[in-house]
Amino acid sequence: MRIFSLLCASLVLLAAPLAAQIALPRLPLPPVGPALGDSLGALGEARAELQRTVEKLARDRLRTVERLVRANPDIIEPDALGAPARRGELLVMDVPANALDPALQAGFTVLSREEVEGLGLSLVRVSVPAGLSLAEAQGALALLLPDAEIVADNLHFQAGVADSALASAASSASTGRSAPVGMIDGATGPSIAVAETRGFAKGAPYPSHHGSSVASLLQHAGAGTVRVADVYGTDKAGGNALAMAKGLGWLVERGSKVVTISLVGPRNALLERAVRAAQSRGVVVVAAVGNDGPAAPPAYPASYSGVVAVTAVDGKRRALIEAGRALNLDYAAPGADIYGRNAKGSRIKLRGTSFATPLVAARVARAMGQGSDWRSALDREAIDLGRKGPDDIFGRGLVCATCTGH
């Protein structure tokens, strides 16, 4: 818990400078005279309220992580940086089989040797010796295998929420040429037709409201062939880095040219390598910045180099107050006051950067399918919001501005 306390303190300290990334309410210019003091007071109160909201989001994020670990102590524990991960397991890369001897002699055991098909990556899963926490084991293994890359199997979380079901109606996808799209998320329900689904977690594929909503938005925004890698299933430690890397490899192998990921987590060397390998094969990865607020750490995979990072706006084109951040923000898209389909096919109201992300991915896929340069196509469509030019709130602008779901 000491790790969580230190992390919480750090986030609170960071909250003040990061609050500048959120758009403040537009107040009228104060008139000259006694009303000036009242107007400045209102502006100060707006800033103070914004600051309180930013700090609350940071605290809520840490409480959520703490509750998750406490509720699932048999399968989840914090790694050396306090991020949740699969308990008792580490992933080791860049080490020949015969170089593992120091680790084996120290009590680590090999659980499996893994190949990430489609991306040319290999790794070894090892179990932590009894009596060591995951964080302690990371440090010990790093000393035993100094040339290896050692990471925890970090968990990633869906970046959006679905409100109560509304009236049910049939889904209708837009038509037109589009490059094949892959999706890393939960599986879709039977009413959301996709080309193919494969599971990469215990109990997968298993219908998910979140995955169904993302897929329905993809289709409505014009994506054609959609394949789904279910990295959650019924696994309480689902959404882990190894499952996501394998899911990405499968999507690449099956021909996906655009992959949308509405999940967020900490930086993870295995997933970063998987993303880089996919990009080297011509795949565009699009990812959400998350909903933990501007004081949260940079979101991954959105912050990996070359990933198209997406934030969200509401129906009045205002930045979502809960939107997270990425090291480099690319585009904004509608992520509130929009509708999608849940696993039962019911029409539901959506909110979060999760749901802006497939709208951008569909635009990228459409441009690629038509033989266009996708970046130029999106830049031509993007509506510049906020200050002129690219910025930290809206990126290069708003795309799919009239996309409100279905």
Side-chain angles (χ1 to χ4, degrees):
M1 300 304 293
R2 180 173 179 271
I3 293 174
F4 282 110
S5 299
L6 291 174
L7 185 56
C8 185
S10 299
L11 287 174
V12 171
L13 289 173
L14 286 170
L18 290 173
Q21 297 185 25
I22 295 295
L24 287 170
R26 294 182 178 178
L27 299 177
L29 289 174
V32 177
L36 176 60
D38 293 339
S39 298
L40 291 176
L43 179 60
E45 178 55 35
R47 289 185 180 276
E49 178 62 28
L50 176 61
Q51 180 67 20
R52 288 192 290 270
T53 300
V54 168
E55 292 174 355
K56 180 179 183 299
L57 285 166
R59 291 193 300 270
D60 288 348
R61 172 183 173 273
L62 291 171
R63 287 177 184 141
T64 298
V65 171
E66 288 179 320
R67 283 196 298 267
L68 178 69
V69 174
R70 285 199 303 267
N72 302 279
D74 55 329
I75 55 175
I76 301 173
E77 67 175 309
D79 69 1
L81 295 178
R86 187 177 289 278
R87 172 173 284 278
E89 295 185 18
L90 291 171
L91 308 177
V92 182
M93 297 173 284
D94 303 332
V95 59
N98 58 2
L100 284 171
D101 288 346
L104 300 179
Q105 292 169 6
F108 290 88
T109 57
V110 173
L111 293 171
S112 64
R113 299 183 186 278
E114 303 284 347
E115 298 290 332
V116 181
E117 297 178 4
L119 299 179
L121 301 177
S122 61
L123 62 126
V124 180
R125 288 173 58 235
V126 300
S127 66
V128 172
L132 286 184
S133 69
L134 191 63
E136 292 168 338
Q138 277 181 274
L141 197 55
L143 293 174
L144 292 166
L145 306 174
D147 296 326
E149 181 89 61
I150 300 160
V151 295
D153 198 0
N154 293 115
L155 308 188
H156 296 71
F157 302 94
Q158 295 165 330
V161 294
D163 290 344
S164 58
L166 304 174
S168 177
S171 173
S172 58
S174 301
T175 58
R177 289 177 296 169
S178 169
V181 178
M183 186 182 104
I184 297 178
D185 208 294
T188 61
S191 64
I192 311 295
V194 296
E196 196 174 2
T197 301
R198 182 172 171 182
F200 295 89
K202 179 182 178 181
Y206 186 85
S208 154
H209 291 318
H210 188 273
S212 298
S213 297
V214 170
S216 71
L217 290 171
L218 270 176
Q219 294 174 342
H220 190 70
T225 301
V226 176
R227 289 184 171 84
V228 180
D230 181 358
V231 297
Y232 286 103
T234 59
D235 191 347
K236 291 182 179 179
N240 56 75
L242 180 56
M244 291 177 67
K246 287 186 171 183
L248 180 56
W250 174 73
L251 291 170
V252 171
E253 199 170 44
R254 296 297 292 155
S256 299
K257 297 302 179 185
V258 180
V259 174
T260 185
I261 308 176
S262 291
L263 316 176
V264 295
R267 188 170 190 171
N268 181 278
L270 171 60
L271 188 55
E272 185 169 9
R273 289 189 187 197
V275 167
R276 191 163 59 240
Q279 292 169 330
S280 71
R281 289 159 172 77
V283 174
V284 178
V285 178
V286 185
V289 299
N291 306 316
D292 292 324
Y300 292 92
S303 290
Y304 294 135
S305 177
V307 171
V308 181
V310 179
T311 191
V313 300
D314 63 16
K316 295 182 179 180
R317 299 183 178 180
R318 299 173 299 193
L320 298 194
I321 188 68
E322 70 269 28
R325 64 189 184 100
L327 294 180
N328 293 289
L329 182 62
D330 289 279
Y331 298 102
D337 305 312
I338 62 172
Y339 299 85
R341 305 283 165 175
N342 66 13
K344 296 180 179 179
S346 298
R347 187 172 186 254
I348 56 174
K349 192 172 185 180
L350 306 169
R351 183 181 178 94
T353 60
S354 271
F355 308 115
T357 304
L359 302 180
V360 174
R363 285 295 199 259
V364 173
R366 187 179 66 175
M368 293 175 70
Q370 295 172 351
S372 303
D373 175 78
W374 67 265
R375 175 70 78 181
S376 297
L378 265 65
D379 283 349
R380 285 194 298 271
E381 179 187 354
I383 299 170
D384 192 8
L385 301 176
R387 72 168 187 263
K388 187 173 182 180
D391 59 53
D392 294 334
I393 300 174
F394 305 102
R396 301 162 76 95
L398 173 67
V399 301
C400 215
T402 60
C403 299
T404 57
H406 57 107

